[in-house]
Amino acid sequence: MSASASDVIRTAALAWEIYRMGWSEEFDASIVRSTGQQYNDFGNDIKSLAENLNNIVRVVENARATWIQESVRIARSRGLPLQKDWDLSSLHEIIGDYNNTLEDCKKLLEQNYEFRNNRNFAYNIEWNLVIQPKVDRLRRRLDSHNSKISILLKPLELNLLSDIHRDLADRIDAVHRSILHLHGLLIPDVEQAISEQGRVVLIPLIVPADIERRFQTAAERFYPAVRSPGNFPLQAGADAFVAHMDESTRKFTAGNFLNERTPEPKQYLSLLKCVWIMRCLQESYALQTAPDSSQWPGYIAQLNEDLSVECLRFTAPSTQRLIPPDVSSPRPEDEYSIWPGEDISEYISPHSEVYLEEVFKLSMPSPSPSLRRDMTVYKLDATKYRLVESIEDTTNPATRRQEYKMEIDLKTVNLTPIYATPSSRPKSMEVQIHSTSAKTNPTFQEHKQMLRFQHLLTGYKVYERYDQAMVTVSFFVSGQVKPIEEHARIQIWLPHPFASSNSQNVSAAATPTTLQSPSSSTIQSPTIQGPLRSNTRGSLNASMESMTIGRNPGFKNPSMESTTIGRSRDNMTPSRLTKSSSRASVGTGRESTATGNSRDDVRSSRFSMRSSTSRRSTATSITTISTGTGNRAHLHTKPAKPLLVIFLKGKDASAKLAIVAIQMDDKTEVKRERCGCRSSNSNCKSSCIERSDGSLLVQRWDADQGLGSWNLAKLGVEQRKELPADSWNDVKRVSLNFDRTEDRYTFAGSPCACKPKMQHDLARCILDGHHGVFGVVKQIGSQRLRNYHQERECAAGENLVLGALPEEEQW
């Protein structure tokens, strides 16, 4: 379809109409103040297109006026027509459909007219989330049109004036030809420009053969016809040239030093693409057979001239010469692509990601030192998280960073603890995570990282990372003649809210936690670093120095607004109400430090103790809620019990997997009289667990459907159901048979001469390691329960009670 200057005039008028619609003088000041530069830049782009279209019209009209002027001035040409018009249809091919772009701009402004005169906070939010992405797409189209017009103006004028020059030169004799001097708006001497047009423009850069092959392969991927010389697409090739030229060394500003005169390899590679594309364009049949009225030959010639100027920067005098970077090493495939292509992702509905809290980040095993693997966990809401595993090559920039994202919900996630499969051989630190839509099998670099990740998904912390393999367990069930024997691996879990890395850094400076006894004695919670079996005389002075004993009647927990811990949500009872603000009081009882004497002739496993730095180990769950009209109440939550978690694998041929959780309370005990542990000199490797008033509180989950159904998350805070759900009834005794005596000492300690009469005496005995890690966690759980009852009683006696308190409960 033919096009003329009148078509360009109409499109330019449309551009000015749109600009006045959105950026007229009465709106400019208020819009710029309320929207910032974004809206103003959009208007400037439309204005630039209007001006550039006007420039096309000016060039065409000037050429027409030159034709009329010269035809009248030359006497022998008086018979020539006074009007001359040119077919400008090739402009649309070169510049693109600028008319359609302007129509889309107009439509956007009409549909969002209120943004011009009502830019309050709500409208600004809508602009950023909804309108701005659409504006960005339109601005990219406008920028493409404007840059192409800027390139085209000079060759357009030269083509029009050359046509006039040829037409007039054919009609006059040599005498009058000497007075034929044409000039335009951009070209001072048309005849000289015509003579220079036939000059060969040198391109000093040579594309290496291996890179040229990569360019050819990339071009053939979307245009197979380019395998044959001359079939290179004219319009797509020119657009690709312009796009790569914008990404080339043209934007590189050189300095004085050599490294400052070396552009980035990617920029230089883009310049080499332009060299290769230009050669293909010049050989194109479409260019060689273009009609005389086409603007394509002049446009390509101008692109070639611009390319030559840029390439000459690499052959300039030595002090100004650019240094080519090394592009011989392979780079990412997309850096060799020829066709920029349309980014279709921009048509996805407008969207943005909100800020996500980073919970923790850990390094993962890598096949080589140069590859860095990480896993980062982000919190989405109370129970939902996003896992992002990434890998990148730190030594090869050509290898892009890769990411895998997975979202999990603690209420539905499936966690298969592959690492915990009972076995005589070490297992890799691997787990399987299965969400509703994805599955992944991460392998961890360190044992503590794996347990920390498990803590996140379950809400239970493996106390002091106690994770004992190589155990054989026997379950004694009422009514069964023989015990059930299985291979096992055991952990001891303490309910503990997961803290992000940032909050851990803050809590590191917190006050050391204390264990509170009914007699108001307090001892610091020990941390077990590892067993130490010795026949020598030992000293536990360091341990005893970390124990504090004092009187503290009427204890009140200072953490009145602590994070809720535990699963007994049904026991959450509003217990205290204050006006306008909650009141928290701290006990003022005296605290003194007691240092124990060294103990001789002790032959058993000992624990190296250190004070815990986390107050949460004994804090009760109290949550502050609003009751309206400025009042607030405290909800007391009964703390969950610690768990002895046993990973099981059957001894029979089926080798079925299972998980057992035994609740640890005051009545759950290690019965030394059931085995050979009655003396401190015993080499017994077994520990027997019973409950003083009947069956143990046991839950069991069998993996009846294979490894994937061996789901540790079922024990977690968000998924585990309280008894009687999943209960294993009538389990009277559990016997744990360890591979080494030291392992049994670590778990349950050894007999001692202590005869505790008071609670703090028992606490001191526990600190000495006489009850093992089992006794320590049991004491922490008991202390939490005592704190819970004390705080309820204090609150009930001092404040208004909202509803009846539940009956006293014991573990």
Side-chain angles (χ1 to χ4, degrees):
M1 182 182 66
S2 62
S4 62
S6 58
D7 298 321
V8 181
I9 292 174
R10 283 191 293 270
T11 306
L14 173 63
W16 284 114
E17 176 189 347
I18 295 170
Y19 179 74
R20 286 190 293 269
M21 178 191 304
W23 292 267
S24 55
E25 293 182 1
E26 62 268 24
F27 293 124
D28 278 352
S30 62
I31 290 175
V32 172
R33 283 196 302 269
S34 59
T35 66
Q37 198 62 28
Q38 297 173 337
Y39 187 83
N40 196 43
D41 289 343
F42 182 33
N44 288 335
D45 289 340
I46 295 177
K47 182 180 179 181
S48 295
L49 181 57
E51 292 172 344
N52 281 324
L53 291 174
N54 278 348
N55 289 336
I56 293 178
V57 174
R58 288 178 60 194
V59 167
V60 174
E61 292 298 330
N62 179 72
R64 182 180 290 119
T66 300
W67 164 255
I68 295 174
Q69 178 182 353
E70 293 297 327
S71 63
V72 172
R73 188 171 65 88
I74 299 176
R76 294 184 60 181
S77 301
R78 293 179 182 179
L80 295 176
L82 298 180
Q83 294 293 334
K84 190 175 182 64
D85 205 354
W86 291 273
D87 182 6
L88 302 178
S89 56
S90 58
L91 292 183
H92 289 83
E93 299 175 9
I94 298 173
I95 303 172
D97 194 349
Y98 46 81
N99 191 75
N100 185 57
T101 299
L102 289 171
E103 290 290 349
D104 289 343
C105 293
K106 182 178 180 181
K107 182 178 179 181
L108 179 68
L109 289 175
E110 289 175 344
Q111 292 176 345
N112 300 277
Y113 186 86
E114 65 276 6
F115 280 93
R116 296 183 299 154
N117 49 19
N118 189 2
R119 295 309 308 275
N120 55 29
F121 177 74
Y123 279 111
N124 284 336
I125 292 178
E126 184 180 351
W127 170 272
N128 291 328
L129 294 181
V130 181
I131 309 303
Q132 186 62 43
K134 299 177 182 179
V135 170
D136 291 340
R137 289 195 292 270
L138 289 173
R139 289 193 62 197
R140 284 193 289 271
R141 291 163 62 182
L142 291 167
D143 182 67
S144 176
H145 300 320
N146 285 324
S147 61
K148 291 176 182 178
I149 292 176
S150 299
I151 299 171
L152 181 63
L153 280 177
K154 183 179 177 181
L156 172 64
E157 183 175 61
L158 179 59
N159 185 48
L160 298 181
L161 295 181
S162 297
D163 179 60
I164 295 174
H165 187 278
R166 286 192 302 270
D167 202 341
L168 293 176
D170 290 342
R171 298 172 183 270
I172 59 178
D173 54 27
V175 176
H176 292 90
R177 191 174 301 173
S178 62
I179 62 172
L180 183 59
H181 295 290
L182 303 182
H183 63 86
L185 299 176
L186 297 120
I187 302 173
D189 191 332
V190 174
E191 191 166 4
Q192 180 182 353
I194 293 174
S195 63
E196 292 175 351
Q197 194 175 27
R199 186 181 58 190
V200 177
V201 178
L202 296 177
I203 305 297
L205 295 184
I206 299 176
V207 182
D210 58 331
I211 294 180
E212 184 170 352
R213 283 193 297 270
R214 289 179 176 269
F215 289 163
Q216 181 70 31
T217 301
E220 292 175 0
R221 190 173 298 121
F222 294 99
Y223 285 92
V226 302
R227 293 189 182 96
S228 302
N231 288 336
F232 200 79
L234 182 59
Q235 183 175 352
D239 289 346
F241 181 98
V242 173
H244 293 307
M245 196 67 176
D246 287 340
E247 299 296 327
S248 72
T249 55
R250 172 184 283 185
K251 296 181 179 180
F252 178 72
T253 303
N256 295 323
F257 296 96
L258 290 180
N259 63 323
E260 296 175 346
R261 288 190 278 134
T262 305
E264 294 292 330
K266 189 173 182 179
Q267 291 178 314
Y268 187 69
L269 203 59
S270 294
L271 184 62
L272 293 181
K273 288 181 191 178
C274 293
V275 174
W276 185 82
I277 292 173
M278 179 53 62
R279 189 174 70 237
C280 295
L281 287 173
Q282 291 173 338
E283 297 173 355
S284 171
Y285 295 145
L287 181 66
Q288 295 174 3
T289 59
D292 294 338
S293 61
S294 175
Q295 306 302 322
W296 276 111
Y299 181 67
I300 299 300
Q302 184 63 49
L303 293 180
N304 190 40
E305 183 178 332
D306 295 343
L307 175 62
S308 176
V309 171
E310 184 60 30
C311 291
L312 287 174
R313 296 178 68 189
F314 292 87
T315 59
S318 58
T319 56
Q320 303 174 3
R321 183 184 307 162
L322 297 187
I323 309 300
D326 181 18
V327 292
S328 59
S329 59
R331 303 189 63 79
E333 284 299 321
D334 60 344
E335 291 192 16
Y336 296 98
S337 62
I338 297 299
W339 316 111
E342 183 181 22
D343 184 9
I344 59 176
S345 63
E346 67 182 20
Y347 296 107
I348 296 176
S349 301
H351 61 281
S352 60
E353 288 193 358
V354 298
Y355 169 77
L356 299 179
E357 176 190 354
E358 181 180 312
V359 178
F360 73 94
K361 184 176 182 179
L362 53 89
S363 298
M364 303 185 71
S366 174
S368 69
S370 63
L371 293 179
R372 184 172 62 197
R373 292 180 64 206
D374 296 306
M375 175 183 283
T376 308
V377 181
Y378 298 95
K379 187 173 184 178
L380 302 178
D381 61 23
T383 64
K384 295 181 180 179
Y385 294 84
R386 175 177 296 167
L387 313 181
V388 180
E389 182 177 338
S390 63
I391 184 169
E392 61 181 332
D393 193 337
T394 57
T395 61
N396 185 7
T399 305
R400 296 267 179 114
R401 172 187 170 95
Q402 300 294 327
E403 287 187 350
Y404 170 73
K405 297 181 180 180
M406 179 181 181
E407 293 188 2
I408 60 172
D409 189 338
L410 302 186
K411 296 179 179 179
T412 59
V413 69
N414 186 311
L415 174 63
T416 303
I418 298 175
Y419 78 92
T421 306
S423 173
S424 59
R425 291 173 295 180
K427 304 289 290 186
S428 63
M429 290 181 284
E430 180 183 4
V431 298
Q432 183 181 92
I433 309 164
H434 196 169
S435 70
T436 54
S437 59
K439 181 171 66 175
T440 183
N441 289 67
T443 300
F444 297 89
Q445 189 166 327
E446 299 181 31
H447 183 251
K448 65 180 181 180
Q449 294 176 340
M450 180 178 59
L451 295 183
R452 180 161 166 75
F453 184 77
Q454 178 179 299
H455 180 193
L456 169 68
L457 268 59
T458 61
Y460 284 85
K461 182 177 182 179
V462 178
Y463 185 77
E464 291 304 317
R465 300 196 286 273
Y466 178 77
D467 184 15
Q468 180 62 56
M470 300 293 292
V471 179
T472 301
V473 63
S474 300
F475 296 97
F476 295 83
V477 184
S478 296
Q480 297 188 19
V481 178
K482 293 183 178 181
I484 301 173
E485 291 190 0
E486 298 177 270
H487 299 295
R489 181 177 184 138
I490 61 175
Q491 295 177 356
I492 295 182
W493 287 12
L494 192 65
H496 195 291
F498 187 88
S500 65
S501 302
N502 293 334
S503 60
Q504 277 192 329
N505 294 336
V506 174
S507 65
T511 305
T513 187
T514 58
L515 297 178
Q516 183 84 15
S517 71
S519 61
S520 301
S521 298
T522 60
I523 68 170
Q524 291 188 333
S525 173
T527 298
I528 299 173
Q529 294 180 327
L532 179 62
R533 181 79 188 272
S534 175
N535 293 327
T536 61
R537 301 163 65 92
S539 173
L540 296 177
N541 283 342
S543 301
M544 299 305 295
E545 286 176 359
S546 66
M547 184 180 71
T548 59
I549 301 175
R551 298 291 178 184
N552 187 11
F555 170 80
K556 298 175 185 176
N557 193 325
S559 303
M560 299 304 292
E561 299 190 22
S562 63
T563 306
T564 301
I565 304 173
R567 286 194 47 81
S568 304
R569 294 178 177 84
D570 295 338
N571 292 332
M572 294 175 65
T573 306
S575 62
R576 57 186 298 171
L577 174 68
T578 58
K579 183 72 175 178
S580 301
S581 64
S582 62
R583 181 176 61 181
S585 58
V586 182
T588 59
R590 175 178 53 86
E591 291 185 353
S592 61
T593 301
T595 304
N597 297 323
S598 61
R599 313 178 75 181
D600 300 332
D601 300 319
V602 178
R603 182 179 184 274
S604 66
S605 173
R606 296 306 186 208
F607 302 98
S608 174
M609 305 293 185
R610 59 181 172 83
S611 61
S612 172
T613 57
S614 173
R615 182 164 189 83
R616 296 189 187 90
S617 62
T618 58
T620 310
S621 296
I622 304 176
T623 305
T624 303
I625 62 172
S626 173
T627 60
T629 64
N631 297 327
R632 290 194 290 177
H634 297 304
L635 292 180
H636 292 250
T637 305
K638 184 178 178 181
K641 302 171 186 177
L643 299 176
L644 172 60
V645 178
I646 309 176
F647 303 91
L648 298 170
K649 181 180 179 181
K651 282 190 171 183
D652 56 8
S654 65
K656 185 172 69 174
L657 297 172
I659 301 176
V660 162
I662 302 175
Q663 298 185 15
M664 298 168 56
D665 57 20
D666 281 338
K667 297 179 181 180
T668 306
E669 301 173 342
V670 174
K671 296 287 187 179
R672 293 196 173 106
E673 61 269 21
R674 300 293 187 190
C675 57
C677 298
R678 296 190 176 186
S679 70
S680 59
N681 297 323
S682 171
N683 288 320
C684 179
K685 299 180 182 179
S686 298
S687 290
C688 296
I689 302 172
E690 296 183 8
R691 200 164 188 271
S692 59
D693 65 348
S695 300
L696 291 165
L697 304 179
V698 184
Q699 291 175 291
R700 179 173 180 130
W701 297 266
D702 291 303
D704 296 322
Q705 300 177 3
L707 183 64
S709 61
W710 199 42
N711 183 14
L712 188 61
K714 287 184 178 180
L715 282 69
V717 170
E718 297 297 335
Q719 294 190 35
R720 188 169 71 90
K721 299 177 182 178
E722 294 293 343
L723 289 168
D726 303 311
S727 63
W728 190 7
N729 298 322
D730 301 324
V731 178
K732 295 297 184 180
R733 185 192 314 157
V734 174
S735 176
L736 302 175
N737 303 300
F738 296 92
D739 190 55
R740 303 183 308 162
T741 306
E742 289 84 351
D743 297 337
R744 198 267 300 167
Y745 286 149
T746 302
F747 176 75
S750 63
C752 62
C754 302
K755 296 180 179 180
K757 296 181 179 180
M758 305 292 290
Q759 186 66 32
H760 65 274
D761 296 328
L762 175 61
R764 178 176 298 181
C765 181
I766 292 173
L767 272 179
D768 284 347
H770 300 161
H771 296 261
V773 65
F774 184 90
V776 172
V777 175
K778 176 182 171 181
Q779 178 70 7
I780 293 174
S782 299
Q783 185 61 59
R784 286 181 175 179
L785 183 62
R786 286 190 289 270
N787 290 350
Y788 164 72
H789 289 305
Q790 289 175 351
E791 288 166 359
R792 280 199 333 179
E793 291 170 359
C794 291
E798 296 178 6
N799 299 277
L800 176 64
V801 176
L802 301 180
L805 293 173
E807 296 180 0
E808 286 294 313
E809 299 175 274
Q810 290 186 335
W811 285 353

